[in-house]
Amino acid sequence: MGSLVLFHFLLLSLSFPFPLSSSAIVISNEPSLSVKNPDFLISPNGDFSAGFYSVGDNAFCFAIWFSNSRTVVWMANRDQPVNGKHSKLSILKTGNLILTDASNLNVDVWATNTVSHSPVQLFLNDTGNLVLRNKERVLWESFDFPTDTLLPEQLLTGNTKLVSSRSQDNYFSGLYELSFNNSGFLRLLYNSPDSSSYWVPSPVSWPLYNNSRIAVLNAIGNFISSDNFTFMSADYGAVLHRRLTLDYDGNLRLYSWEEEEQTWVVSWQAIQSPCRIPGGCGANSFCSYVIGSGRKCSCSPGYKMKNRSNWADGCEPEVYISCTEMLKTCDCKAFQYRGDSICYLKTRLLNGIRSPDLWGDIYLKLPKSKILSDANPLENFSLMCSSDRTLQSSKKGTMRFMLWFVSGVAGLEIFSIIVVWCLFIKTQKSLRVYKQAYDRAAIAFRKFTYTELKKATKSFTEEIGREIVTGRDPSKSVHAIDDGGQAEHKTLVTWVREIMNRAVANTSSSLEEIVDPRLEGKYDIGMMKTLVGIALQCVEEDRNERPTMSQVVEMLLGQEKDS
């Protein structure tokens, strides 16, 4: 071992991941690592291995994986695999670690972009972190560039994110992302033409603004985020292998390693109903959840699966409909009827769900030939009358009497239902008035009717609401004094956001500066803090960073429960 000293140049050849024993890369003057003599980095405790991992036919990525299960936790070049022969991982004399693809004229497909004037060393430590360093400091580490997995003690920050894989066997970057938004709150994002957050955690209490943007999972199964969100695994307290992975189906799951069964088990997951995750079954399809079997996808009637190997590609029409005078709304593919006398047009069929909890009907636009060629879904309910059950004409008098009797009873029932319904509506209106008065007394907020909002906004032509908290006109700039004592003109939102960013030590005094002085301090500080925080999220310039109304309601209800 004394002859193995560190040199400026490193060559690591491609091969299948069969781990040998080395915790740091050291090499002699001549390149000695080749396809015929494969070598891998192994952590001192043997838990992790690093090397070239096969992702396809003669395609490799430099990766880190658990040695016992060969489960990949990090990849350098997940979106650009290299050729299996003569490609190499090299440490240059400048201290830069590069991955070169021999099949593409030795083009560098990945690099750490580091510089060092002294010898460097690449090693894999016991936590699964791949580190490049010289004698003075750490130049680069894989923990700062996660792919789809977070390991214990690895930080998720405002500058990093988890990105799912494309599918179970395809390691390319997928469409789902876990990251902090501009306001510093964790969210799961679906990256599509209509990208939007589909999961926002519910913390113990909502902070006004999260500047630190740090989240970490510890070794015993506790996840803590600076936005006050936290969770514990089902086996919290046990010391075992764990990984927090954003799976290809868009769900965030915490896995624990069962030594006896030699398998990974889910000890926590973000979303309990997988059909609520967008994009899982693709366009023009329906998702249904079967307990014990998981998520199942099926094409809508008149559609067929687009890619037999991947449901995410959705379904395509079996027969395309030409636009005619009879079908002027050419982009309408269906409409939904929920029983409220309103038809909701659908120009795209996305995120379809089959569930007994849903109500309403979907009517698809299909070619008449397709409808006639398919089996009639109503034939099982058709009324079939045999001749021996048919009433004869000699019984017409009795039949006429029975019909009049039934009609009279039905009329009486309808009249009774109308009377009861009117009484019910009147009672409900009284209860709503009472409940609204109770809500105002309990939470200091009032619910407005549609008519009241329409009148206040002059038929929705004028904006209201932004000035409710501050008492200032949002169309006018705010005169603020900077650190140098100079007057500045700022927008209302900018002014409020800057004040709240400074409100780390004393939130109460910052709120006093923002809140309308006419309130004379008669408000709940915690609730007002939450309200201002939500308001700032709702006016984010990026629409993807704004919470949905359901998320706003959830945040307000969470604050109400805490108070």
Side-chain angles (χ1 to χ4, degrees):
M1 293 296 292
S3 61
L4 295 179
V5 295
L6 184 66
F7 286 81
H8 293 295
F9 181 80
L10 162 74
L11 173 66
L12 192 61
S13 297
L14 297 174
S15 179
F16 291 91
F18 300 113
L20 299 180
S21 57
S22 174
S23 60
I25 288 183
V26 286
I27 192 171
S28 58
N29 285 332
E30 298 297 330
S32 60
L33 306 179
S34 63
V35 176
K36 296 180 180 179
N37 185 25
D39 198 1
F40 299 92
L41 290 170
I42 298 179
S43 61
N45 60 9
D47 289 345
F48 296 94
S49 301
F52 285 96
Y53 192 92
S54 176
V55 295
D57 186 16
N58 196 35
F60 293 83
C61 292
F62 188 77
I64 302 171
W65 60 89
F66 279 97
S67 301
N68 55 2
S69 63
R70 298 194 1 162
T71 302
V72 175
V73 297
W74 178 84
M75 280 188 171
N77 55 318
R78 67 187 303 190
D79 293 320
Q80 195 173 354
V82 295
N83 187 278
K85 293 183 179 179
H86 307 301
S87 298
K88 57 187 178 182
L89 184 73
S90 309
I91 295 181
L92 303 181
K93 292 182 179 180
T94 58
N96 191 18
L97 179 66
I98 64 171
L99 177 59
T100 306
D101 187 1
S103 65
N104 194 15
L105 301 177
N106 292 323
V107 171
D108 298 340
V109 300
W110 176 84
T112 58
N113 298 317
T114 51
V115 177
S116 176
H117 300 292
S118 59
V120 297
Q121 183 184 38
L122 181 68
F123 66 94
L124 182 64
N125 62 28
D126 288 340
T127 61
N129 190 16
L130 185 67
V131 179
L132 179 71
R133 64 170 303 154
N134 56 21
K135 292 182 179 180
E136 291 80 24
R137 61 187 180 90
V138 172
L139 302 175
W140 175 92
E141 54 186 326
S142 62
F143 268 20
D144 289 340
F145 303 91
T147 49
D148 64 350
T149 298
L150 206 66
L151 293 173
E153 311 308 330
Q154 180 180 4
L155 298 181
L156 182 70
T157 69
N159 298 321
T160 61
K161 60 184 178 181
L162 299 186
V163 178
S164 67
S165 59
R166 192 75 56 85
S167 67
Q168 190 169 8
D169 301 317
N170 186 339
Y171 293 94
F172 278 72
S173 297
L175 298 176
Y176 301 99
E177 171 188 315
L178 173 69
S179 60
F180 285 97
N181 63 15
N182 290 340
S183 297
F185 297 96
L186 278 176
R187 52 81 189 270
L188 284 174
L189 180 69
Y190 177 54
N191 284 314
S192 69
D194 297 315
S195 62
S196 61
S197 301
Y198 60 93
W199 177 80
V200 177
S202 299
V204 177
S205 61
W206 287 93
L208 183 62
Y209 195 82
N210 180 23
N211 290 318
S212 54
R213 305 182 190 184
I214 295 176
V216 64
L217 171 71
N218 65 19
I220 58 176
N222 188 21
F223 180 87
I224 301 175
S225 174
S226 57
D227 63 358
N228 291 343
F229 173 64
T230 181
F231 69 82
M232 292 186 294
S233 64
D235 53 7
Y236 172 74
V239 179
L240 37 75
H241 291 160
R242 302 180 187 276
R243 60 182 174 91
L244 183 65
T245 301
L246 179 56
D247 286 325
Y248 68 92
D249 65 354
N251 207 347
L252 181 67
R253 296 183 178 93
L254 177 61
Y255 291 90
S256 303
W257 178 253
E258 274 199 0
E259 193 64 34
E260 292 184 3
E261 300 294 333
Q262 289 290 293
T263 186
W264 291 101
V265 296
V266 177
S267 53
W268 177 88
Q269 64 179 7
I271 301 174
Q272 304 302 320
S273 302
C275 286
R276 299 293 180 181
I277 302 174
C281 292
N284 306 316
S285 63
F286 285 95
C287 175
S288 57
Y289 177 67
V290 180
I291 298 177
S293 301
R295 184 173 63 186
K296 300 293 183 182
C297 299
S298 59
C299 289
S300 302
Y303 292 81
K304 61 182 179 180
M305 193 173 179
K306 194 172 184 179
N307 181 359
R308 290 288 177 182
S309 62
N310 189 2
W311 268 108
D313 292 337
C315 305
E316 58 184 357
E318 293 179 341
V319 179
Y320 286 89
I321 303 176
S322 59
C323 188
T324 64
E325 289 297 322
M326 298 291 292
L327 299 170
K328 291 185 177 181
T329 310
C330 298
D331 59 347
C332 177
K333 293 186 176 181
F335 71 89
Q336 183 179 12
Y337 181 72
R338 301 177 183 174
D340 52 3
S341 302
I342 300 176
C343 294
Y344 301 87
L345 298 182
K346 304 288 184 181
T347 58
R348 287 182 297 173
L349 303 179
L350 301 175
N351 306 320
I353 300 176
R354 293 183 186 272
S355 172
D357 299 330
L358 302 176
W359 58 280
D361 299 310
I362 290 287
Y363 295 85
L364 299 175
K365 183 169 69 175
L366 297 174
K368 184 181 294 184
S369 58
K370 175 63 182 174
I371 299 175
L372 296 176
S373 63
D374 287 348
N376 186 0
L378 298 178
E379 62 183 3
N380 294 332
F381 302 93
S382 60
L383 182 62
M384 304 296 292
C385 298
S386 59
S387 58
D388 59 338
R389 295 296 181 93
T390 304
L391 293 174
Q392 301 300 319
S393 58
S394 59
K395 300 181 181 179
K396 285 184 178 179
T398 305
M399 278 296 299
R400 186 178 293 109
F401 171 77
M402 292 298 296
L403 287 173
W404 278 106
F405 178 77
V406 170
S407 299
V409 173
L412 181 62
E413 288 184 351
I414 292 173
F415 177 76
S416 301
I417 290 174
I418 293 174
V419 171
V420 172
W421 179 255
C422 292
L423 292 174
F424 175 77
I425 294 297
K426 185 176 181 180
T427 304
Q428 287 298 309
K429 287 183 178 179
S430 300
L431 289 174
R432 275 199 296 268
V433 172
Y434 173 77
K435 185 178 185 303
Q436 192 176 71
Y438 174 80
D439 288 344
R440 287 199 299 269
I443 63 175
F445 289 112
R446 182 193 167 197
K447 299 177 182 177
F448 293 91
T449 64
Y450 175 85
T451 304
E452 289 174 322
L453 291 175
K454 184 177 180 181
K455 181 179 180 181
T457 59
K458 296 182 180 179
S459 296
F460 302 103
T461 59
E462 295 184 0
E463 181 182 22
I464 61 172
R466 288 194 184 183
E467 72 276 9
I468 290 177
V469 174
T470 62
R472 300 172 183 263
D473 188 346
S475 63
K476 299 179 180 180
S477 61
V478 178
H479 298 279
I481 306 299
D482 61 13
D483 296 336
Q486 299 295 322
E488 291 182 298
H489 297 279
K490 300 180 180 179
T491 64
L492 180 62
V493 174
T494 303
W495 177 69
V496 173
R497 196 182 300 279
E498 288 181 354
I499 292 177
M500 299 317 298
N501 286 345
R502 299 196 305 265
V504 178
N506 194 338
T507 304
S508 178
S509 61
S510 299
L511 286 175
E512 290 179 1
E513 186 177 354
I514 293 174
V515 175
D516 190 343
R518 288 175 293 182
L519 293 179
E520 298 179 349
K522 298 177 181 179
Y523 54 83
D524 182 271
I525 295 179
M527 185 171 292
M528 184 61 71
K529 175 182 174 183
T530 299
L531 183 62
V532 174
I534 295 173
L536 289 175
Q537 293 184 61
C538 290
V539 294
E540 287 284 355
E541 292 186 6
D542 185 356
R543 66 181 181 88
N544 296 326
E545 302 295 341
R546 303 170 193 159
T548 63
M549 285 306 301
S550 60
Q551 292 168 352
V552 170
V553 172
E554 185 177 351
M555 288 186 282
L556 289 174
L557 290 177
Q559 175 61 35
E560 184 179 352
K561 291 178 181 178
D562 293 338
S563 57

